[in-house]
Amino acid sequence: MKDASLLPVALFDSGVGGLTVLKALAARLPAEDLIYLGDTARLPYGTKGRDTIIRYTLRAAQTLANNGAKMLVIACNTATAAALPVLREHFAPLPVLGVVEPGAQAAARTSRTGEIVVIATEATITDGAYQRAIARIRPEAHVRGRACTLFVPMAEEGWMDGPLVEGVAWRYLEDLFTPAAPAPRPDTLLLGCTHFPLLQAALQNVVGPQVRIVDSAATTAASVNEELARLGLLRAGGRTGDRRFMTTDNRNRFARTGSLFLGGPLKDSDIELVDL
Ligand code: DGL
């Protein structure tokens, strides 16, 4: 039987945003082979209903599982919030990790006062997954959620800073972060969406330097490392893993926007078009 540690770690996102998680994972576990699927044909997931998100995520995860993987990482906050328990049940014993728990840990650890604001897609905020996850880790924390729908297309467009981005951010966040807001003021802003780390500098300008901004990419990579080690599935070092990219639509756009999230070049010839 093939040594399971030699199989790739499979990552899924609704689009290119999860490449921020792939980047963190490649830095943390360079020897691992990584295979990534972005369901760009159906993006955005964040404005869709729960049943639709579960249906889409199951299909995408099945495609990755069919390719052979030792672990499935749902590098999409919306899909994690809606579908993680369903995926775990459906694909058992394949280990399935999401980004919500690691993101919640990062925020709970970072906040001094326990006043936390999580920003994410409408579906993630409505589901309340982050609010519940933080409450489990730090029950006294006061968590407020805010859907910031327009940040997704802005990041995809490469609009990451400047007055327009800050204006939109201010419109979403003003009542929570204005100096005139009633105390207690939030001290931590959790980016609960794959796209939002690209806007971090603009968001910092809007919320002010005293607010700490955290996301789930690094903590997810740490969780994957921990879980692979626990299962005896870590790949031996001394090599650089393969990176394989799949998309459900428009390889050219995936390469263009994906390179923004990856922070490095991606060619359309590196990307495979798949149908789910
Ligand atoms: N990947 C999604 C998330 O992290 C954002 C994009 C979408 O709405 O599909 O929530």
Side-chain angles (χ1 to χ4, degrees):
M1 204 175 91
K2 196 178 171 190
D3 178 357
S5 72
L6 303 179
L7 291 171
V9 175
L11 292 94
F12 166 70
D13 180 40
S14 55
V16 290
L19 291 171
T20 51
V21 178
L22 181 134
K23 188 179 167 189
L25 203 51
R28 178 107 191 184
L29 296 169
E32 298 291 345
D33 290 339
L34 304 176
I35 166 166
Y36 181 96
L37 170 61
D39 188 13
T40 49
R42 294 170 187 80
L43 179 103
Y45 280 24
T47 49
K48 301 205 164 61
R50 186 182 165 80
D51 291 348
T52 305
I53 298 166
I54 292 175
R55 192 156 38 88
Y56 287 177
T57 307
L58 273 170
R59 264 156 69 174
Q62 189 64 59
T63 302
L64 284 166
N66 292 347
N67 269 275
K70 62 182 173 185
M71 177 178 281
L72 187 57
V73 180
I74 308 301
C76 173
N77 297 262
T78 304
T80 301
L84 189 64
V86 178
L87 291 167
R88 282 192 167 143
E89 199 183 318
H90 189 87
F91 291 102
L94 180 70
V96 185
L97 262 63
V99 285
V100 168
E101 198 65 39
Q105 276 166 15
R109 268 205 305 263
T110 301
S111 176
R112 292 201 189 97
T113 61
E115 288 295 326
I116 298 168
V117 169
V118 53
I119 56 174
T121 65
E122 196 181 319
T124 304
I125 294 300
T126 307
D127 180 274
Y130 269 109
Q131 295 90 320
R132 288 193 301 277
I134 296 170
R136 277 195 298 274
I137 305 166
R138 204 169 155 181
E140 88 292 358
H142 176 224
V143 185
R144 283 170 279 184
R146 180 68 41 99
C148 296
T149 308
L150 287 177
F151 288 171
V152 171
M154 287 194 322
E156 293 254 332
E157 199 62 23
W159 294 2
M160 301 176 210
D161 50 22
L164 196 141
V165 176
E166 290 185 20
V168 174
W170 189 241
R171 175 78 193 259
Y172 280 129
L173 301 172
E174 179 179 10
D175 60 312
L176 298 169
F177 288 96
T178 175
R185 309 256 332 264
D187 76 340
T188 301
L189 177 66
L190 168 58
L191 309 183
C193 175
T194 50
H195 285 62
F196 298 180
L198 267 72
L199 310 178
Q200 181 156 347
L203 290 168
Q204 193 77 69
N205 285 342
V206 168
V207 299
Q210 72 290 351
V211 175
R212 293 164 172 219
I213 301 184
V214 292
D215 69 65
S216 53
T219 36
T220 299
S223 298
V224 171
N225 189 353
E226 225 170 82
E227 194 59 8
L228 287 176
R230 195 181 70 78
L231 298 167
L233 289 175
L234 271 178
R235 179 121 193 193
R239 70 189 290 273
T240 303
D242 291 335
R243 315 280 174 247
R244 201 176 141 203
F245 302 96
M246 296 187 286
T247 183
T248 50
D249 187 41
N250 200 338
R251 290 187 308 153
N252 182 272
R253 185 173 164 84
F254 185 97
R256 188 160 34 86
T257 55
S259 57
L260 292 174
F261 287 81
L262 209 52
L266 254 182
K267 297 192 296 292
D268 32 342
S269 54
D270 296 335
I271 301 151
E272 210 178 310
L273 193 62
V274 294
D275 196 12
L276 300 184

